[in-house]
Amino acid sequence: MAEPILEVRGLVKHYPLTRGVLFRKQIGTVRAVDGVDFTLAKGETLGIVGESGCGKSTVAKMLCNLERPTAGEIRYRGEDITRLSGKALKAVRRNIQMVFQDPYTSLNPRMTVGDIIQEPYEIHPEVAPKGDRRRRVRELLDVVGLDPEYANRYPHQFSGGQRQRIGIARGLALRPEIIVADEPVSALDVSVQAQVINLMERLQAEFELSYVFIAHDLSIVRHISDRVGVMYLGRIVEIGTDEQIYDHPTHPYTQALLSAVPVPDPDVRERRERIILSGDVPSPANVPSGCRFRTRCWKARERCALEVPPLAVPAEFRHGTGPQAHDSACHFAAERQVVPPGERDVDGDSSTRTH
């Protein structure tokens, strides 16, 4: 893999859990993100998937410095941006932009589209002189597939897909190297989702962008991603290429997620076993000891409660080059998937949601 332009090491974000109105007393800690590691190479798309509440959006906000981490490092081109402030942080923010989840609330309804896209130039005037900004706005609208004449319209005059294109244009305004896309198509119709994904792929090639693409739809993530990281309760439990994750998953949680993805081929659907996890996701304010997935895992043993499994290539695959040789945070990742009868479903029903 090419030299990474972004390295995340031991990223942690904890929020105090308080009680009281006048005299607030801390009664616990919410471990939203609790030790996340990954890298991003130039031109690469890293997909991050997981259930709602697993910490995906919190990671996205920390990458863009909208949230300050409790601990850990985010290195952009070798420099830890978590320690920056003032002009140095402002310069880095220009190169790491964000596309938000909801196109209906992420655009200011009181501003025209032209003013929304032009606003980044007010913060970074060195990127575009005042006399050239209107031309650049028109160019950006054209690049994302919108009529440049729409620059004087307001957000309420656009559909959801068009609004997300406006958000993408705003993200491109400063010509960043990295775009963090936090579930950018989840609020859109299925037909519009495909259009926005195809647009993002075209822009990536045209502008040499790197993406951190966060979503809960596993099929969309596979379509756009070079590598995929699976999150559970504040940690990445498995990471690898799209082929490794989708065709050769080694972590039980990843296997359960993939078993719920709808399959169009009825023959394949009838043969496939759907894994139904027992219980609910534990609260991030009261996480289990050891492996966080052990309370819902059919492979769990005493060791799982005592030791936190490292995110590493399982020892059994460490010296191989096969598709199983990728990082997985499971003590028994190399064991064949065997699901207890009470947790199986072989009727082909794929109604279980993955988020």
Side-chain angles (χ1 to χ4, degrees):
M1 191 175 66
E3 187 73 20
I5 60 172
L6 190 71
E7 298 176 85
V8 174
R9 294 284 177 260
L11 194 62
V12 173
K13 182 61 180 179
H14 293 171
Y15 296 96
L17 190 62
T18 60
R19 182 173 58 193
V21 178
L22 295 178
F23 303 100
R24 303 188 72 82
K25 178 182 179 182
Q26 183 170 342
I27 58 173
T29 301
V30 176
R31 300 173 179 270
V33 177
D34 209 20
V36 165
D37 302 273
F38 62 81
T39 60
L40 179 71
K42 186 170 181 61
E44 180 188 32
T45 299
L46 173 67
I48 299 179
V49 299
E51 294 172 282
S52 295
C54 70
K56 305 186 301 295
S57 293
T58 305
V59 169
K61 291 174 183 177
M62 287 191 285
L63 294 180
C64 296
N65 254 283
L66 300 178
E67 292 272 9
R68 284 286 189 171
T70 305
E73 297 181 346
I74 303 172
R75 292 191 170 273
Y76 169 68
R77 293 199 172 277
E79 185 174 28
D80 185 4
I81 65 176
T82 64
R83 301 179 183 276
L84 299 181
S85 60
K87 291 183 178 180
L89 178 58
K90 182 180 176 182
V92 169
R93 277 180 164 164
R94 173 187 164 183
N95 290 309
I96 305 176
Q97 291 291 301
M98 190 166 184
V99 175
F100 295 91
Q101 176 178 359
D102 189 354
Y104 295 93
T105 59
S106 61
L107 303 178
N108 190 332
R110 296 175 179 269
M111 296 174 67
T112 65
V113 167
D115 289 337
I116 289 171
I117 298 175
Q118 196 174 194
E119 190 173 24
Y121 300 137
E122 302 292 335
I123 302 168
H124 298 272
E126 72 280 1
V127 176
K130 281 191 175 181
D132 193 40
R133 292 177 187 175
R134 287 188 176 276
R135 180 187 66 81
R136 292 205 179 198
V137 168
R138 293 173 66 87
E139 283 184 353
L140 285 167
L141 286 171
D142 184 57
V143 162
V144 298
L146 294 175
D147 190 334
E149 299 300 323
Y150 291 171
N152 293 321
R153 295 187 179 185
Y154 288 86
H156 73 270
Q157 296 175 279
F158 295 88
S159 67
Q162 289 174 322
R163 294 187 200 192
Q164 199 59 291
R165 289 172 185 264
I166 295 166
I168 292 171
R170 177 177 59 186
L172 289 173
L174 299 177
R175 294 295 177 93
E177 281 194 290
I178 299 170
I179 285 186
V180 180
D182 183 16
E183 304 209 33
V185 297
S186 64
L188 307 178
D189 293 337
V190 175
S191 59
V192 180
Q193 288 181 0
Q195 296 172 15
V196 173
I197 292 296
N198 291 336
L199 170 66
M200 293 184 69
E201 289 184 318
R202 177 172 63 80
L203 294 175
Q204 182 174 33
E206 186 175 341
F207 293 97
E208 298 182 337
L209 297 167
S210 302
Y211 288 146
V212 177
F213 189 91
I214 294 170
H216 59 254
D217 190 318
L218 295 168
S219 57
I220 288 177
V221 171
R222 181 170 198 179
H223 177 77
I224 196 173
S225 301
D226 300 301
R227 290 188 303 130
V228 178
V230 181
M231 282 193 72
Y232 182 80
L233 208 59
R235 288 184 176 167
I236 290 182
V237 296
E238 187 168 5
I239 190 167
T241 65
D242 61 339
E243 178 188 0
Q244 289 171 335
I245 297 299
Y246 285 84
D247 297 336
H248 305 277
T250 58
H251 195 282
Y253 178 62
T254 309
Q255 293 167 355
L257 281 184
L258 293 173
S259 77
V261 176
V263 177
D265 188 335
D267 294 331
V268 175
R269 187 166 61 243
E270 288 177 5
R271 293 194 304 267
R272 188 182 65 168
E273 290 186 345
R274 183 161 63 93
I275 303 169
I276 301 176
L277 298 177
S278 60
D280 297 320
V281 181
S283 168
N286 186 25
V287 298
S289 62
C291 175
R292 299 186 174 199
F293 185 61
R294 67 177 176 81
T295 57
R296 307 173 73 194
C297 182
W298 62 92
K299 291 184 181 181
R301 302 174 192 172
E302 184 179 356
R303 179 184 178 187
C304 300
L306 301 175
E307 301 176 26
V308 177
L311 182 63
V313 178
E316 294 84 347
F317 305 132
R318 200 160 291 160
H319 302 293
T321 57
Q324 291 93 349
H326 61 273
D327 291 346
S328 182
C330 178
H331 294 305
F332 308 105
E335 288 190 2
R336 189 174 66 88
Q337 175 181 322
V338 178
V339 187
E343 297 175 359
R344 296 180 183 178
D345 185 355
V346 294
D347 63 3
D349 177 16
S350 55
S351 60
T352 300
R353 302 181 70 187
T354 61
H355 58 96

Short mmCIF file of all heavy atoms in Angstrom, two decimals, residues 225-260:
data_model
loop_
_atom_site.label_atom_id
_atom_site.label_comp_id
_atom_site.label_asym_id
_atom_site.label_seq_id
_atom_site.Cartn_x
_atom_site.Cartn_y
_atom_site.Cartn_z
N SER A 225 -15.48 1.22 -1.60
CA SER A 225 -14.29 1.16 -0.73
C SER A 225 -13.19 0.25 -1.26
O SER A 225 -13.46 -0.77 -1.88
CB SER A 225 -14.69 0.70 0.67
OG SER A 225 -15.63 1.57 1.24
N ASP A 226 -11.94 0.65 -0.98
CA ASP A 226 -10.79 -0.21 -1.23
C ASP A 226 -10.53 -1.10 -0.02
O ASP A 226 -10.19 -2.27 -0.17
CB ASP A 226 -9.54 0.65 -1.50
CG ASP A 226 -9.72 1.55 -2.71
OD1 ASP A 226 -9.96 1.02 -3.81
OD2 ASP A 226 -9.64 2.78 -2.56
N ARG A 227 -10.67 -0.52 1.16
CA ARG A 227 -10.57 -1.28 2.41
C ARG A 227 -11.76 -0.95 3.28
O ARG A 227 -12.37 0.11 3.15
CB ARG A 227 -9.26 -0.96 3.16
CG ARG A 227 -8.01 -1.48 2.48
CD ARG A 227 -6.77 -1.30 3.37
NE ARG A 227 -6.59 0.09 3.73
CZ ARG A 227 -6.40 0.54 4.98
NH1 ARG A 227 -6.41 -0.32 6.00
NH2 ARG A 227 -6.23 1.82 5.22
N VAL A 228 -12.07 -1.86 4.20
CA VAL A 228 -13.24 -1.70 5.07
C VAL A 228 -12.85 -1.98 6.51
O VAL A 228 -12.17 -2.96 6.80
CB VAL A 228 -14.38 -2.65 4.64
CG1 VAL A 228 -15.58 -2.51 5.58
CG2 VAL A 228 -14.80 -2.38 3.20
N GLY A 229 -13.29 -1.10 7.42
CA GLY A 229 -13.13 -1.33 8.84
C GLY A 229 -14.49 -1.51 9.48
O GLY A 229 -15.42 -0.73 9.20
N VAL A 230 -14.64 -2.52 10.31
CA VAL A 230 -15.91 -2.82 10.98
C VAL A 230 -15.80 -2.39 12.44
O VAL A 230 -14.91 -2.83 13.16
CB VAL A 230 -16.25 -4.32 10.88
CG1 VAL A 230 -17.59 -4.60 11.56
CG2 VAL A 230 -16.28 -4.77 9.43
N MET A 231 -16.72 -1.51 12.87
CA MET A 231 -16.69 -1.01 14.24
C MET A 231 -17.77 -1.65 15.09
O MET A 231 -18.88 -1.93 14.61
CB MET A 231 -16.87 0.52 14.27
CG MET A 231 -15.64 1.30 13.90
SD MET A 231 -15.78 3.07 14.31
CE MET A 231 -15.67 3.02 16.11
N TYR A 232 -17.43 -1.86 16.36
CA TYR A 232 -18.41 -2.35 17.33
C TYR A 232 -18.09 -1.73 18.68
O TYR A 232 -16.97 -1.87 19.21
CB TYR A 232 -18.35 -3.88 17.44
CG TYR A 232 -19.37 -4.45 18.41
CD1 TYR A 232 -20.69 -4.62 18.02
CD2 TYR A 232 -19.02 -4.79 19.71
CE1 TYR A 232 -21.64 -5.12 18.90
CE2 TYR A 232 -19.95 -5.30 20.60
CZ TYR A 232 -21.26 -5.46 20.19
OH TYR A 232 -22.20 -5.96 21.07
N LEU A 233 -19.03 -1.00 19.22
CA LEU A 233 -18.94 -0.42 20.56
C LEU A 233 -17.63 0.35 20.78
O LEU A 233 -16.91 0.13 21.75
CB LEU A 233 -19.09 -1.53 21.61
CG LEU A 233 -19.68 -1.12 22.97
CD1 LEU A 233 -21.06 -0.52 22.79
CD2 LEU A 233 -19.75 -2.31 23.91
N GLY A 234 -17.31 1.24 19.85
CA GLY A 234 -16.18 2.14 20.03
C GLY A 234 -14.85 1.65 19.53
O GLY A 234 -13.86 2.37 19.64
N ARG A 235 -14.81 0.44 18.97
CA ARG A 235 -13.53 -0.09 18.48
C ARG A 235 -13.69 -0.71 17.11
O ARG A 235 -14.76 -1.20 16.76
CB ARG A 235 -12.98 -1.15 19.45
CG ARG A 235 -12.46 -0.55 20.75
CD ARG A 235 -11.85 -1.61 21.63
NE ARG A 235 -11.28 -1.02 22.82
CZ ARG A 235 -10.89 -1.72 23.88
NH1 ARG A 235 -11.01 -3.03 23.88
NH2 ARG A 235 -10.38 -1.11 24.93
N ILE A 236 -12.60 -0.72 16.35
CA ILE A 236 -12.58 -1.46 15.09
C ILE A 236 -12.25 -2.91 15.42
O ILE A 236 -11.23 -3.20 16.05
CB ILE A 236 -11.56 -0.87 14.11
CG1 ILE A 236 -12.05 0.49 13.61
CG2 ILE A 236 -11.32 -1.81 12.93
CD1 ILE A 236 -11.14 1.16 12.60
N VAL A 237 -13.13 -3.82 15.00
CA VAL A 237 -12.94 -5.23 15.33
C VAL A 237 -12.36 -6.03 14.16
O VAL A 237 -11.87 -7.14 14.35
CB VAL A 237 -14.26 -5.88 15.78
CG1 VAL A 237 -14.74 -5.24 17.08
CG2 VAL A 237 -15.34 -5.79 14.72
N GLU A 238 -12.43 -5.47 12.94
CA GLU A 238 -11.85 -6.15 11.79
C GLU A 238 -11.61 -5.12 10.70
O GLU A 238 -12.42 -4.22 10.49
CB GLU A 238 -12.77 -7.26 11.29
CG GLU A 238 -12.14 -8.12 10.19
CD GLU A 238 -12.93 -9.40 9.91
OE1 GLU A 238 -14.02 -9.57 10.50
OE2 GLU A 238 -12.46 -10.22 9.10
N ILE A 239 -10.49 -5.25 10.00
CA ILE A 239 -10.17 -4.33 8.91
C ILE A 239 -9.37 -5.06 7.85
O ILE A 239 -8.50 -5.89 8.17
CB ILE A 239 -9.42 -3.08 9.44
CG1 ILE A 239 -9.30 -2.01 8.36
CG2 ILE A 239 -8.06 -3.44 10.01
CD1 ILE A 239 -8.85 -0.65 8.88
N GLY A 240 -9.69 -4.79 6.59
CA GLY A 240 -8.99 -5.44 5.50
C GLY A 240 -9.53 -4.94 4.17
O GLY A 240 -10.34 -4.00 4.12
N THR A 241 -9.09 -5.55 3.08
CA THR A 241 -9.60 -5.16 1.77
C THR A 241 -11.07 -5.56 1.67
O THR A 241 -11.57 -6.37 2.46
CB THR A 241 -8.81 -5.84 0.65
OG1 THR A 241 -9.03 -7.26 0.72
CG2 THR A 241 -7.31 -5.55 0.78
N ASP A 242 -11.76 -5.00 0.68
CA ASP A 242 -13.18 -5.35 0.55
C ASP A 242 -13.37 -6.84 0.30
O ASP A 242 -14.30 -7.45 0.82
CB ASP A 242 -13.83 -4.52 -0.57
CG ASP A 242 -13.21 -4.77 -1.93
OD1 ASP A 242 -12.07 -5.24 -2.00
OD2 ASP A 242 -13.89 -4.48 -2.94
N GLU A 243 -12.45 -7.48 -0.44
CA GLU A 243 -12.56 -8.92 -0.67
C GLU A 243 -12.36 -9.70 0.62
O GLU A 243 -13.09 -10.65 0.92
CB GLU A 243 -11.52 -9.37 -1.71
CG GLU A 243 -11.55 -10.86 -1.97
CD GLU A 243 -10.41 -11.35 -2.84
OE1 GLU A 243 -9.58 -10.52 -3.25
OE2 GLU A 243 -10.33 -12.57 -3.08
N GLN A 244 -11.37 -9.30 1.43
CA GLN A 244 -11.11 -10.00 2.69
C GLN A 244 -12.30 -9.91 3.63
O GLN A 244 -12.69 -10.90 4.25
CB GLN A 244 -9.86 -9.41 3.34
CG GLN A 244 -8.56 -9.75 2.62
CD GLN A 244 -7.38 -8.97 3.17
OE1 GLN A 244 -7.52 -7.89 3.74
NE2 GLN A 244 -6.19 -9.52 3.00
N ILE A 245 -12.87 -8.72 3.75
CA ILE A 245 -13.96 -8.52 4.70
C ILE A 245 -15.24 -9.18 4.24
O ILE A 245 -15.95 -9.84 5.01
CB ILE A 245 -14.19 -7.01 4.95
CG1 ILE A 245 -12.95 -6.36 5.58
CG2 ILE A 245 -15.41 -6.80 5.84
CD1 ILE A 245 -12.55 -6.93 6.93
N TYR A 246 -15.59 -9.04 2.98
CA TYR A 246 -16.88 -9.51 2.49
C TYR A 246 -16.88 -10.99 2.13
O TYR A 246 -17.90 -11.67 2.28
CB TYR A 246 -17.33 -8.69 1.28
CG TYR A 246 -17.83 -7.32 1.67
CD1 TYR A 246 -16.95 -6.26 1.86
CD2 TYR A 246 -19.19 -7.08 1.87
CE1 TYR A 246 -17.41 -5.00 2.22
CE2 TYR A 246 -19.66 -5.84 2.24
CZ TYR A 246 -18.76 -4.80 2.42
OH TYR A 246 -19.22 -3.56 2.80
N ASP A 247 -15.76 -11.49 1.64
CA ASP A 247 -15.72 -12.89 1.21
C ASP A 247 -15.06 -13.82 2.22
O ASP A 247 -15.29 -15.02 2.21
CB ASP A 247 -14.98 -13.01 -0.13
CG ASP A 247 -15.70 -12.25 -1.25
OD1 ASP A 247 -16.92 -12.06 -1.11
OD2 ASP A 247 -15.04 -11.86 -2.23
N HIS A 248 -14.22 -13.27 3.11
CA HIS A 248 -13.50 -14.11 4.07
C HIS A 248 -13.46 -13.44 5.45
O HIS A 248 -12.37 -13.24 6.01
CB HIS A 248 -12.08 -14.39 3.57
CG HIS A 248 -12.03 -14.99 2.21
ND1 HIS A 248 -12.19 -16.34 1.97
CD2 HIS A 248 -11.86 -14.41 0.99
CE1 HIS A 248 -12.11 -16.57 0.67
NE2 HIS A 248 -11.91 -15.43 0.06
N PRO A 249 -14.60 -13.08 6.03
CA PRO A 249 -14.60 -12.44 7.35
C PRO A 249 -14.14 -13.43 8.42
O PRO A 249 -14.48 -14.61 8.37
CB PRO A 249 -16.06 -12.04 7.55
CG PRO A 249 -16.83 -13.03 6.73
CD PRO A 249 -15.98 -13.32 5.53
N THR A 250 -13.38 -12.94 9.38
CA THR A 250 -12.90 -13.81 10.46
C THR A 250 -13.48 -13.43 11.82
O THR A 250 -13.42 -14.23 12.75
CB THR A 250 -11.36 -13.76 10.55
OG1 THR A 250 -10.94 -12.41 10.76
CG2 THR A 250 -10.72 -14.29 9.27
N HIS A 251 -14.00 -12.22 11.97
CA HIS A 251 -14.57 -11.83 13.26
C HIS A 251 -16.05 -12.21 13.30
O HIS A 251 -16.79 -11.99 12.33
CB HIS A 251 -14.43 -10.32 13.48
CG HIS A 251 -14.65 -9.91 14.91
ND1 HIS A 251 -15.91 -9.79 15.46
CD2 HIS A 251 -13.77 -9.62 15.90
CE1 HIS A 251 -15.80 -9.42 16.73
NE2 HIS A 251 -14.51 -9.31 17.02
N PRO A 252 -16.54 -12.78 14.40
CA PRO A 252 -17.95 -13.19 14.49
C PRO A 252 -18.94 -12.06 14.24
O PRO A 252 -20.00 -12.29 13.64
CB PRO A 252 -18.08 -13.72 15.92
CG PRO A 252 -16.69 -14.09 16.31
CD PRO A 252 -15.78 -13.14 15.60
N TYR A 253 -18.62 -10.85 14.67
CA TYR A 253 -19.54 -9.74 14.45
C TYR A 253 -19.66 -9.42 12.96
O TYR A 253 -20.76 -9.19 12.45
CB TYR A 253 -19.06 -8.50 15.21
CG TYR A 253 -19.93 -7.29 14.99
CD1 TYR A 253 -21.27 -7.28 15.37
CD2 TYR A 253 -19.42 -6.13 14.39
CE1 TYR A 253 -22.07 -6.18 15.17
CE2 TYR A 253 -20.21 -5.03 14.19
CZ TYR A 253 -21.54 -5.05 14.57
OH TYR A 253 -22.34 -3.96 14.36
N THR A 254 -18.54 -9.42 12.25
CA THR A 254 -18.57 -9.18 10.80
C THR A 254 -19.38 -10.27 10.11
O THR A 254 -20.18 -10.00 9.20
CB THR A 254 -17.14 -9.14 10.24
OG1 THR A 254 -16.36 -8.23 11.00
CG2 THR A 254 -17.14 -8.70 8.79
N GLN A 255 -19.19 -11.51 10.54
CA GLN A 255 -19.93 -12.63 9.95
C GLN A 255 -21.44 -12.46 10.16
O GLN A 255 -22.24 -12.74 9.26
CB GLN A 255 -19.43 -13.95 10.56
CG GLN A 255 -18.00 -14.27 10.18
CD GLN A 255 -17.41 -15.39 11.03
OE1 GLN A 255 -18.02 -15.87 11.98
NE2 GLN A 255 -16.19 -15.81 10.70
N ALA A 256 -21.82 -11.98 11.34
CA ALA A 256 -23.24 -11.77 11.62
C ALA A 256 -23.81 -10.64 10.78
O ALA A 256 -24.92 -10.74 10.24
CB ALA A 256 -23.43 -11.47 13.11
N LEU A 257 -23.06 -9.55 10.63
CA LEU A 257 -23.53 -8.44 9.80
C LEU A 257 -23.74 -8.89 8.36
O LEU A 257 -24.77 -8.61 7.74
CB LEU A 257 -22.50 -7.30 9.82
CG LEU A 257 -22.47 -6.36 11.02
CD1 LEU A 257 -21.44 -5.26 10.77
CD2 LEU A 257 -23.82 -5.73 11.28
N LEU A 258 -22.76 -9.58 7.81
CA LEU A 258 -22.83 -9.98 6.40
C LEU A 258 -23.93 -11.01 6.17
O LEU A 258 -24.50 -11.08 5.07
CB LEU A 258 -21.48 -10.53 5.95
CG LEU A 258 -20.35 -9.50 5.89
CD1 LEU A 258 -19.02 -10.18 5.59
CD2 LEU A 258 -20.65 -8.44 4.83
N SER A 259 -24.24 -11.81 7.18
CA SER A 259 -25.28 -12.82 7.01
C SER A 259 -26.66 -12.20 6.85
O SER A 259 -27.60 -12.86 6.41
CB SER A 259 -25.28 -13.79 8.19
OG SER A 259 -25.91 -13.21 9.32
N ALA A 260 -26.80 -10.92 7.23
CA ALA A 260 -28.10 -10.24 7.15
C ALA A 260 -28.26 -9.44 5.87
O ALA A 260 -29.32 -8.86 5.65
CB ALA A 260 -28.27 -9.32 8.36
#
